[in-house]
Each structure stands twice: as C-alpha cells, then as structure tokens.
C-alpha cells in the first residue's frame, strides 16, 4: 500500500466528505491540531495511520456522527467524552446553561435531570464553583461517562445519582432543576437520519414527544424550594404545549427563550411561594 502525504490524502478525501470533517478525522488519528496539517502537508502517514483513516472515513460516509468516531464533543468549551450510551450534546443546549446561570446565586443546589454525558451539569459546575450540582440519569452507562468527564475536567464537587426522573431524589429541595429530556415523537421521520446512532431512550418520548416533559413538570415541583426554577429544553414545535403544562401545575413567570436559530427551545417556570 502506498502511503500518501497529508496533502494527497486531504485532496482525495474531500471528494467524499466536507474538508472540516476530513481534517477532524485526520487530526484524531495523527494526534495533532489542524494547524499541523497546514504546516506539514508534505508529511507521510504510516501504513497503519492510513488504514485507520480509511476505516474512519468509511464510518463517517455511512452517516455515523463524527463525535462517536472521535469519542469527543465540545460543549460550553469543555471537551466531553461521548459514547454510544450518551446523546451527543447539541450547541442549542447551551441556551439552557445560560438561562440556568442567570438564575443561580452562590450556594444554590442545582439538579440536572437526565445528564447524559454530563454536559449541562459540568458546564454549570465549571462556571459556578460555589453552587452544588447533582447530576442524575436513569442510564448507568451514561452516568459513568458523565462521572468520568467530571473527573477528567477536575469538577470533583459534582455528585451523581441513578434516578428515574425525580423518583430517587429523596427529600432534596433545589433552587433550580434543569433538564434536556427526550422530546422526539416515536414516529418522527428525523429518527431515521444521523440520530439513529444515538440512544433511543435519550431521544424518544412517546407518541407526541411530551411524555417525559409531562412527568418532569408534574413531579419536579416537590423537589424545588418556593420560588425555585424549572428549566426545560423542548422541540421546535412544543413551546405552547409546554407552557400550558407549566400553567396547569401552577408555575409562574413562565417564559420561552429562542435559540440562536430563532427556534423556541427553552421554557422556564417558577414555583409559586405558596406551593410547599
Ligand atoms: C436528550 S438526552 C440529554 C442528555 C444531556 N443532558 C444533554 O443535554 O446532552 C436525555 C437524557 O435523559 C435520560 N433519561 C431518559 N429517561 C430518563 C428517566 N426516566 N429518568 C432519568 N433520565 C432519563 C437519558 O438517558 C439521556 O441521558
């Protein structure tokens, strides 16, 4: 097998994939930055590196998300490990982090329900060293990835708990509960795209995609202090239904925020002072 140079390999592979993706795969295999590829285009790959590249290229061409191929995804400038047991954190979820940070005072307890790779909990812990953060998930495999991410990032104060939404929280009361729950309807055609590689139980929530959101709005209130906040991410067409659910459960100051694409993405509500 002839070993190609970085330049030759890039120019061939861009016929199959966007250049940025090719560069990410190549950097992953060579253990270098993209600047290195620009600085040393004449360098040759070893036979082993070339064969590894061909394998990863084929996986990406098949549609596997690049984050599962490299095992990492950046979220809130944190490099997070992701596996087939965790959702790949999305940029729009940073809106949930922003809205949580805007409501947190020092010493507050925050619970991230359905933490997956730990994205939301770890971003909050990274920004607010004086807050207490509890991250939960029903999936042990996902929680292990989140725990490993916390260790690697030195965010040792974050605590982890296996829990089916609120059922194992005990008698905890938090100032803020945040969640990016599954919210895709079971028959949604988008599930046939690249997301087919992601865990079904991280994405799908019943016939209308609202099954988990209903449970979260109904049960979270008992785990919030009076005037505590519940912040939820939801689908592009679910904001109205989510606001109605918040209202039915007597939340106040209900507001929906749009993500950078102008899509209503996060709805928040405040527990009334009278609800014990
Ligand atoms: C959409 S993913 C969000 C992951 C992560 N918070 C993020 O934003 O990248 C939903 C997460 O909820 C978890 N989950 C699903 N059903 C759950 C339940 N009944 N109780 C707790 N967590 C659940 C899944 O395992 C998954 O990690």
């Amino acid at each position: 097998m002839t070993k190609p140079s970085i330049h030759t390999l890039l120019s061939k592979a861009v016929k199959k994939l966007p250049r940025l993706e090719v560069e990410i795969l190549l950097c992953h295999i060579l253990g270098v930055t993209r600047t290195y590829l620009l600085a040393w285009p004449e360098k040759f790959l070893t036979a082993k590196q070339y064969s590894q590249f061909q394998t990863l290229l084929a996986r990406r061409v098949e549609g596997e998300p690049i984050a599962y191929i490299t095992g990492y995804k950046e979220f809130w400038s944190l490099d997070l490990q992701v596996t087939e047991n965790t959702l790949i954190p999305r940029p729009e979820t940073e809106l949930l982090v922003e809205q949580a940070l805007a409501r947190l005072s020092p010493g507050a307890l925050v619970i991230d329900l359905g933490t997956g790779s730990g994205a939301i909990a770890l971003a909050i812990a990274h920004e607010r060293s004086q807050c207490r953060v509890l991250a939960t998930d029903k999936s042990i495999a996902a929680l292990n990835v989140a725990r490993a991410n916390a260790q690697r990032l030195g965010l040792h104060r974050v605590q982890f708990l296996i829990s089916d939404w609120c059922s194992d929280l005990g008698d905890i009361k938090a100032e803020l509960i945040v969640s990016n729950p599954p919210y895709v309807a079971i028959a949604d055609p988008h599930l046939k795209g690249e997301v087919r590689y992601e865990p079904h139980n991280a994405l799908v929530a019943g016939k209308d995609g609202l099954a988990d959101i209903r449970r979260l709005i109904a049960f979270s209130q008992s785990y919030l202090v009076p005037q505590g906040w519940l912040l939820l991410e939801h689908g592009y067409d679910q904001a109205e239904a989510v606001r109605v659910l918040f209202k039915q459960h007597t939340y106040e100051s209900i507001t929906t925020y749009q993500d950078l694409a102008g899509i209503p993405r996060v709805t928040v509500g405040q527990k009334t002072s009278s609800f014990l």
Side-chain angles (χ1 to χ4, degrees):
M1 183 194 315
T2 33
K3 295 170 286 172
S5 68
I6 288 176
H7 171 76
T8 314
L9 188 134
L10 277 172
S11 46
K12 278 194 183 160
V14 292
K15 292 181 186 139
K16 297 188 177 171
L17 280 185
R19 186 176 179 98
L20 176 63
E21 297 194 358
V22 177
E23 289 184 359
I24 292 173
L25 294 181
L26 199 47
C27 290
H28 176 65
I29 286 167
L30 301 181
V32 299
T33 62
R34 288 174 62 213
T35 318
Y36 179 99
L37 304 182
L38 286 174
W40 305 102
E42 73 285 5
K43 290 251 177 191
F44 286 98
L45 275 73
T46 65
K48 187 172 171 203
Q49 287 166 337
Y50 181 51
S51 137
Q52 281 173 336
F53 178 78
Q54 297 291 48
T55 306
L56 300 197
L57 183 75
R59 282 168 64 186
R60 181 62 195 133
V61 169
E62 275 293 298
E64 186 172 346
I66 212 141
Y68 285 151
I69 298 177
T70 62
Y72 281 90
K73 175 75 185 177
E74 188 179 301
F75 179 82
W76 200 266
S77 303
L78 302 173
D79 225 359
L80 296 176
Q81 185 203 345
V82 292
T83 71
E84 71 279 6
N85 298 307
T86 66
L87 186 96
I88 300 167
R90 308 291 203 269
E92 56 266 30
T93 301
E94 295 190 345
L95 174 63
L96 205 49
V97 176
E98 280 167 23
Q99 290 304 325
L101 295 177
R103 288 171 173 78
L104 280 175
S105 45
L109 171 64
V110 188
I111 308 176
D112 172 19
L113 295 175
T115 198
S117 62
I120 300 166
L122 299 180
I124 292 174
H126 186 257
E127 296 299 321
R128 294 284 188 274
S129 56
Q130 290 172 328
C131 287
R132 294 165 295 145
V133 182
L134 174 65
T136 77
D137 208 288
K138 192 179 172 183
S139 154
I140 297 177
L143 213 59
N144 284 339
V145 173
R147 207 180 266 118
N149 278 326
Q151 284 285 328
R152 216 189 54 262
L153 295 167
L155 298 168
H156 302 296
R157 291 163 302 103
V158 181
Q159 297 201 307
F160 297 92
L161 179 75
I162 290 286
S163 179
D164 178 2
W165 296 136
C166 299
S167 40
D168 299 299
L169 292 181
D171 55 7
I172 248 171
K173 298 268 186 204
E175 275 73 19
L176 191 142
I177 294 179
V178 65
S179 184
N180 171 21
Y183 55 70
V184 181
I186 198 153
D188 191 316
H190 292 105
L191 291 169
K192 295 201 178 88
E194 261 190 38
V195 295
R196 71 186 186 279
Y197 286 89
E198 297 186 83
H200 196 259
N201 58 4
L203 291 165
V204 178
K207 254 187 174 170
D208 61 358
L210 288 166
D212 289 302
I213 287 181
R214 270 191 205 96
R215 281 182 67 192
L216 283 166
I217 295 178
F219 298 118
S220 293
Q221 208 154 165
S222 308
Y223 301 91
L224 282 171
V225 299
Q227 295 188 300
W229 289 93
L230 174 62
L231 282 69
L232 296 178
E233 180 171 321
H234 49 70
Y236 70 99
D237 56 352
Q238 294 171 335
E240 181 57 35
V242 172
R243 281 198 299 270
V244 168
L245 287 166
F246 267 106
K247 223 171 271 170
Q248 282 170 354
H249 289 276
T250 71
Y251 277 86
E252 294 175 339
S253 306
I254 301 159
T255 312
T256 296
Y257 297 90
Q258 294 184 351
D259 63 21
L260 290 174
I263 293 168
R265 184 58 72 190
V266 166
T267 296
V268 309
Q270 191 171 28
K271 175 173 165 170
T272 58
S273 358
S274 51
F275 185 104
L276 294 176

